């Protein structure tokens, strides 16, 4: 049930983006009686619309607007126009995500203090900590029905997990299980349980996996306090002479420029679009873009240290059957500098279908070294590596004025160079991942390079001091009291864990704060 | 047979082959068509010369060789280049490939007997736009053909069959 609000209604909260950050924030505010207009660049896709086909689904859901890349990361060479694999849809990338829902480890909120000085890294402690976040994590886990939290059982292990688990145990790893997943493990919840279909990345056709798109957004709409405008691309945030934001200019479904007035604006377009919007909103009062007095907007882009390990065995595995990422080894997530790097990493099961395996196993490779790997596709097992990468000021999202999108707006260039700590961690993880599979008889293993980024973090980072970042501990910009950032671009550091649960927990907490400040007439 | 085009319909295998000359080990080429040496399939060519199409198919197999995948799938993967828009670039690229083969003492690319010798020629042009265009196109042109998936054991969509919860998601028996 839509609640159409007037363009001139300057008492609404305007939220840009409806993913893990914006979609959750919109629902949480609507539940509290706050009236919300959410602008979503993508269209609505319900579970029945999703497609069990990798390339067709990619065409349906992926954010394919032009972007450019630079830096020494391999993605810039292999996928120069596609730095990220994220989603343009109501629900954002929660339509596509695997569902892995891990809390940060306590020390990861204080990376600068814990790791000490790391040359070339712009490490900073978060202005919040594990104790502060604990109740918000619990609310997030309850919202997402996260397995192995509360009274929720774990998912059963599929073939890919059983290989992974056997190898992990043979190596002596202890903290090995089918993950904490935002995928229902029994029918006692409001949505069906996992049917082991695979295709988690293509949108869950059962709705067993949580997505803001078909869970939070309809809940918010049912209150009458939330209006979602789809295919509405925000182009500029406007402000008044007092330096307060007053509304959002956007291109509507028909490509016409509109302006929604607002009391508060919350930016949640993921770590490329959020800084892009702030930078594209530059004015005579804010010549470097909104909320950018520190010069930090767009900086410290993080994408997690990632990679994959695939292995071929002499017998079938059929890794694609069942939940894509329900399997984890957490033993390497600890901070243990004796391994030659700071921070840690998780190993998580992962499978790709044949079409994506051909595209991502070793991009650009050809000939028999490559094709003999695919010949044994059904005998393959796979895992993903996700670890903490070092924030660097020069890893950065900037406007590329040489390339315009279909609205005539400059696109972003995404510059990323691996930090030596990232490389050391990746090499360690490749070695351990290959050892896991060799321990159960792999005949060949493949240390596979990172895919286009799915975890995009840190380009509007949270900081205690205004000079160090863009937002304070509530996600409120240091410079403009009624402008918030509500997505993963707030991340001060990345931690080793998949970020969605933390984005959701922060959004729930931010909604609480915004509603309180509004009722106290402080914003 | 993948593509019994109209002008070839009604012809017996013997009749098709009688109108053609052999090219390489796998193909026979006739006026406006290309066929398998064993008669398993045949396609008409439109704008591209049949010899060019045959060379392109061989090149595709040499880039992504899968011995269990029949030529017809490689033909399907590249036959989209047989258009007025694409033809000139393809003819030029294949001419360059044949020139490289002649420089190594061969009559043309298709006449080279050993895959290794053909691959050596491809390695010499792998950074060029023609090679990368063909290779890049094959990533989806070959591996995204649903008919190819079962050859690799890949099962494709599963939702319609109720997922794998009752169909072997954890049926591994050798661990």
């Amino acid at each position: 049930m839509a609640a159409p609000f007037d363009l001139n209604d300057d008492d609404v909260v305007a939220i840009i983006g409806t993913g893990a950050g914006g979609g959750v924030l919109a629902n949480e505010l609507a539940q509290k009686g706050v009236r919300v207009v959410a602008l979503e660049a993508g269209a609505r896709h319900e579970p029945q619309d999703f497609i069990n086909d990798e390339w067709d689904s990619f065409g349906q859901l992926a954010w394919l607007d032009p972007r450019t890349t630079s830096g020494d990361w391999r993605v810039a060479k292999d996928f120069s126009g596609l730095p990220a694999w994220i989603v343009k849809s109501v629900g954002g990338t929660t339509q596509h995500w695997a569902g892995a829902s891990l809390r940060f480890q306590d020390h990861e909120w204080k990376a600068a203090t814990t790791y000490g000085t790391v040359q070339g890294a712009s490490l900073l402690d978060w202005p919040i900590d594990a104790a502060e976040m604990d109740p918000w994590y619990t609310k997030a886990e309850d919202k997402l029905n996260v397995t192995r939290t509360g009274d929720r059982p774990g998912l059963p292990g599929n073939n890919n997990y059983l290989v992974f688990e056997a190898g992990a145990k043979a190596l002596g790893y202890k903290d090995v299980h089918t993950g904490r997943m935002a995928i229902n493990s029994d029918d006692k919840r409001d949505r069906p349980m996992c049917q082991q279909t695979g295709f988690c990345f293509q949108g869950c056709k059962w709705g067993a996996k949580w997505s803001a798109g078909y869970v939070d957004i309809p809940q918010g709409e049912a209150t009458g306090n939330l209006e979602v405008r789809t295919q509405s691309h925000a182009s500029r945030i406007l402000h008044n002479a007092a330096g307060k934001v007053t509304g959002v200019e956007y291109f509507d479904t028909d490509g016409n420029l509109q302006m929604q007035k607002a009391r508060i604006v919350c930016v949640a377009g993921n770590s490329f679009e959020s800084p892009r919007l702030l930078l594209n909103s530059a004015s005579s009062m804010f010549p470097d873009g909104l909320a950018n007095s520190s010069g930090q907007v767009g900086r410290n882009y993080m994408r997690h240290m990632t990679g994959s390990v695939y292995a071929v065995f002499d017998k079938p595995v059929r890794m694609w059957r069942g939940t894509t990422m329900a399997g984890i080894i957490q033993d390497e997530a600890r901070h243990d500098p004796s391994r030659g790097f700071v921070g840690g990493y998780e190993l998580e099961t992962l499978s790709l279908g044949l079409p994506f395996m051909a595209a991502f196993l070793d991009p650009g490779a050809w000939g028999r070294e490559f094709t003999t790997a695919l010949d044994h596709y059904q005998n393959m097992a796979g895992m993903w590596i996700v670890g903490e990468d070092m924030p660097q000021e020069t890893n950065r999202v900037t406007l590329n004025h040489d390339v315009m999108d279909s609205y005539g707006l400059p696109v972003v260039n995404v510059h990323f160079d691996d930090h030596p700590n990232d490389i050391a961690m990746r090499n360690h993880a490749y070695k351990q991942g290959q050892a896991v599979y060799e321990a159960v008889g792999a005949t060949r293993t493949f240390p596979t390079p990172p895919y286009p980024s799915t975890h995009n973090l840190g380009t509007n980072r949270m900081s205690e001091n205004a000079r160090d970042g863009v937002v304070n501990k509530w996600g409120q910009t240091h410079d403009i009291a009624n402008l918030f950032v509500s997505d993963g671009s707030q991340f001060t550091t990345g931690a080793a864990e998949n970020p969605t649960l933390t984005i959701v927990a922060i959004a729930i907490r931010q909604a609480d704060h915004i509603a309180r400040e509004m009722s106290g007439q402080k914003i | 047979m993948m593509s019994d085009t109209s002008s070839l319909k009604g012809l017996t295998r013997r009749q098709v082959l009688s109108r053609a000359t052999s090219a390489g080990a796998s193909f026979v080429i006739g006026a406006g068509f290309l066929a398998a040496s064993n008669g398993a399939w045949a396609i008409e060519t439109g704008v591209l010369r049949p010899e060019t199409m045959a060379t392109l198919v061989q090149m595709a197999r040499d880039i992504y060789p899968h011995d269990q995948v029949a030529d017809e799938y490689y033909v399907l993967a590249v036959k989209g280049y047989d258009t007025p828009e694409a033809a000139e670039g393809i003819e030029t690229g294949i001419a360059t490939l044949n020139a490289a083969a002649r420089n190594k003492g061969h009559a043309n690319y298709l006449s080279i007997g050993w895959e290794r010798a053909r691959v050596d020629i491809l390695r010499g042009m792998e950074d060029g736009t023609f090679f990368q265009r063909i290779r890049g196109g094959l990533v989806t042109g070959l591996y995204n053909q649903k008919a190819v998936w079962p050859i690799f054991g890949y099962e494709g969509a599963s939702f319609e069959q109720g997922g794998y919860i009752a169909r072997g998601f954890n049926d591994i028996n050798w661990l």
Side-chain angles (χ1 to χ4, degrees):
Chain A
M1 157 169 58
F5 296 118
D6 195 275
L7 289 170
N8 290 313
D9 185 340
D10 59 4
D11 197 43
V12 301
V13 174
I15 300 176
I16 297 146
T18 60
V24 168
L25 178 67
N27 180 27
E28 294 285 324
L29 286 174
Q31 300 295 333
K32 295 172 193 296
V34 176
R35 298 180 310 131
V36 176
V37 173
L39 302 172
E40 169 52 56
R44 243 177 237 270
H45 299 284
E46 303 296 345
Q48 64 269 23
D49 303 326
F50 295 141
I51 309 168
N52 269 198
D53 179 293
E54 290 178 314
W55 282 116
D56 286 353
S57 173
F58 187 77
Q60 178 187 46
L61 297 176
W63 187 294
L64 299 172
D65 294 16
R67 287 167 175 151
T68 61
T69 49
S70 57
D72 70 10
W73 57 328
R74 191 168 153 178
V75 168
K77 171 174 173 284
D78 296 332
F79 305 99
S80 61
L82 189 76
W85 179 10
I86 54 181
V87 169
K88 189 177 202 174
S89 166
V90 172
T93 305
T94 63
Q95 303 275 50
H96 148 82
W97 77 310
S101 301
L102 305 169
R103 295 185 179 207
F104 277 22
Q105 301 165 78
D106 292 2
H107 68 266
E108 289 173 326
W109 296 101
K110 305 295 169 191
T113 301
T114 309
Y115 306 157
T117 302
V118 177
Q119 197 172 6
S122 48
L123 284 169
L124 192 67
D125 288 346
W126 287 68
I128 49 181
D129 61 17
E132 162 71 23
M133 288 307 297
D134 178 66
W136 305 105
Y137 268 138
T138 301
K139 286 178 197 290
E141 287 162 348
D142 289 344
K143 176 192 285 287
L144 273 54
N145 288 349
V146 176
T147 61
R148 288 198 172 76
T149 69
D151 66 343
R152 293 166 286 260
L155 288 162
N158 69 349
N159 288 331
N160 198 29
Y161 173 73
L162 295 170
V163 173
F164 175 88
E165 179 193 52
K169 296 205 162 150
L171 269 195
Y173 282 138
K174 305 279 186 246
D175 199 359
V176 184
H177 54 81
T178 58
R180 282 182 275 283
M181 304 296 294
I183 298 177
N184 285 356
S185 53
D186 59 34
D187 276 330
K188 292 193 294 256
R189 318 293 158 187
D190 46 352
R191 289 173 282 107
M193 66 180 272
C194 177
Q195 301 296 304
Q196 301 291 334
T197 297
F199 295 100
C200 300
F201 291 163
Q202 283 68 38
C204 179
K205 289 183 72 66
W206 303 97
K209 179 183 82 179
W210 175 84
S211 162
Y214 50 79
V215 180
D216 277 76
I217 291 298
Q219 286 173 2
E221 288 173 325
T223 66
N225 295 322
L226 169 61
E227 179 187 355
V228 177
R229 294 189 196 143
T230 61
Q231 294 171 287
S232 294
H233 186 99
S235 54
R236 191 159 65 120
I237 298 169
L238 303 175
H239 65 81
N240 60 20
K244 292 281 169 59
V245 297
T246 54
V248 185
E249 266 186 1
Y250 67 97
F251 291 94
D252 69 14
T253 309
D254 301 318
N256 298 318
L257 194 61
Q258 306 284 1
M259 205 281 273
Q260 173 65 53
K261 290 188 177 174
R263 176 171 167 184
I264 293 170
V265 174
C266 301
V267 182
N270 209 316
S271 290
F272 298 163
E273 293 304 312
S274 289
R276 179 188 182 209
L277 181 58
L278 296 177
L279 295 170
N280 267 333
S281 301
S283 64
S284 53
M285 183 182 266
F286 299 113
D288 298 324
L290 295 188
N292 197 22
S293 65
S294 62
Q296 291 285 310
V297 171
R299 291 189 184 273
N300 308 300
Y301 168 57
M302 296 172 285
R303 47 146 0 235
H304 271 147
M305 183 289 295
T306 69
S308 304
V309 177
Y310 293 96
V312 165
F313 295 85
D314 59 345
K315 297 184 189 70
V317 176
R318 299 186 182 95
M319 65 174 170
W320 63 87
R321 293 183 179 180
T323 325
T324 304
M325 198 175 267
I328 192 166
I329 298 168
Q330 300 207 268
D331 297 67
E332 301 287 0
R334 69 192 192 279
H335 170 58
D336 173 7
S338 73
R339 292 174 297 181
F341 52 87
V342 301
Y345 61 87
E346 313 274 358
L347 299 172
E348 301 171 349
T349 55
L350 177 73
S351 69
L352 298 178
L354 182 75
F356 273 15
M357 189 60 74
F360 294 117
L361 177 65
D362 187 5
W366 60 279
R368 285 193 186 264
E369 183 184 358
F370 177 74
T371 56
T372 51
L374 293 183
D375 284 339
H376 303 291
Y377 173 73
Q378 70 175 339
N379 293 12
M380 265 189 187
M383 70 171 81
W384 197 51
I385 302 161
V386 52
E388 179 162 12
D389 60 341
M390 288 296 105
Q392 301 179 74
E393 285 220 323
T394 49
N395 283 347
R396 190 177 178 192
V397 170
T398 52
L399 297 179
N400 183 345
H401 290 276
D402 296 329
V403 182
M404 301 293 164
D405 70 7
S406 59
Y407 303 108
L409 301 168
V411 307
V412 290
N413 182 70
V414 182
H415 180 93
F416 189 89
D417 299 313
D418 278 316
H419 187 278
N421 196 76
D422 307 344
I423 295 168
M425 189 192 291
R426 182 178 293 117
N427 288 335
H428 189 273
Y430 279 151
K431 189 166 138 288
Q432 293 308 111
Q434 290 176 288
V436 164
Y437 289 135
E438 282 157 5
V440 274
T443 55
R444 196 173 164 195
T445 57
F446 306 88
T448 293
Y451 314 127
S453 315
T454 50
H455 300 173
N456 298 280
L457 305 167
T459 53
N460 294 305
R461 74 176 178 179
M462 192 182 276
S463 64
E464 186 70 49
N465 296 311
R467 66 175 181 274
D468 296 328
V470 179
V471 300
N472 68 15
K473 66 179 183 174
W474 303 109
Q476 182 179 33
T477 62
H478 288 300
D479 296 351
I480 301 174
N482 66 338
L483 176 61
F484 286 76
V485 175
S486 312
D487 59 16
S489 70
Q490 296 174 86
F491 277 36
T492 310
T493 53
E497 292 73 26
N498 311 57
T500 299
L501 183 76
T502 302
I503 296 172
V504 170
I506 288 174
I508 299 171
R509 176 174 170 273
Q510 186 182 68
D512 198 60
H513 176 75
I514 288 175
R516 192 167 55 240
E517 294 289 288
M518 286 177 81
S519 59
Q521 299 300 317
K522 293 182 188 155
I523 310 178
Chain B
M1 186 172 299
M2 58 167 281
S3 180
D4 253 335
T5 56
S6 56
S7 68
L8 299 172
K9 263 194 190 127
L11 296 182
T12 64
R13 170 172 173 265
R14 180 191 297 271
Q15 285 169 319
V16 169
L17 299 187
S18 74
R19 299 162 100 198
T21 56
S22 171
S26 303
F27 311 113
V28 291
I29 287 170
F33 75 91
L34 176 68
S37 293
N38 66 356
W41 53 266
I43 57 159
E44 268 189 311
T45 52
V47 193
L48 286 179
R49 298 163 59 237
E51 294 82 357
T52 300
M53 180 60 86
T55 308
L56 192 57
V57 171
Q58 184 65 57
M59 179 186 177
R61 177 178 285 287
D62 292 335
I63 293 173
Y64 290 126
H66 294 286
D67 300 338
Q68 74 280 32
V69 176
D71 277 332
E72 60 189 82
Y73 302 105
Y74 291 94
V75 172
L76 273 177
V78 299
K79 93 182 187 26
Y81 294 114
D82 189 14
T83 64
E85 300 74 46
E88 189 183 340
I90 297 296
E91 292 286 2
T92 304
I94 293 296
T96 307
L97 184 64
N98 283 325
R102 281 194 299 278
N103 278 342
K104 300 222 174 191
H106 305 284
N108 55 43
Y109 186 79
L110 268 183
S111 73
I112 303 173
W114 283 99
E115 177 182 313
R116 185 180 58 205
R118 294 192 302 271
V119 166
D120 282 346
I121 289 168
L122 293 178
R123 288 280 169 212
M125 56 193 290
E126 69 177 331
D127 294 326
T129 52
F130 174 67
F131 180 90
Q132 285 302 329
R133 179 183 179 195
I134 301 302
R135 188 203 61 73
L138 284 168
V139 173
T140 47
L142 180 63
Y143 297 109
N144 204 34
Q145 287 181 47
K146 287 187 172 62
V148 165
W149 295 349
I151 302 171
F152 293 88
Y154 180 52
E155 296 169 289
S158 78
F159 173 77
E160 292 73 13
Q161 292 110 289
Y164 293 102
I165 194 161
R167 295 192 309 127
F169 78 97
N170 60 355
D171 66 355
I172 197 163
N173 60 8
W174 53 264
L175 283 167

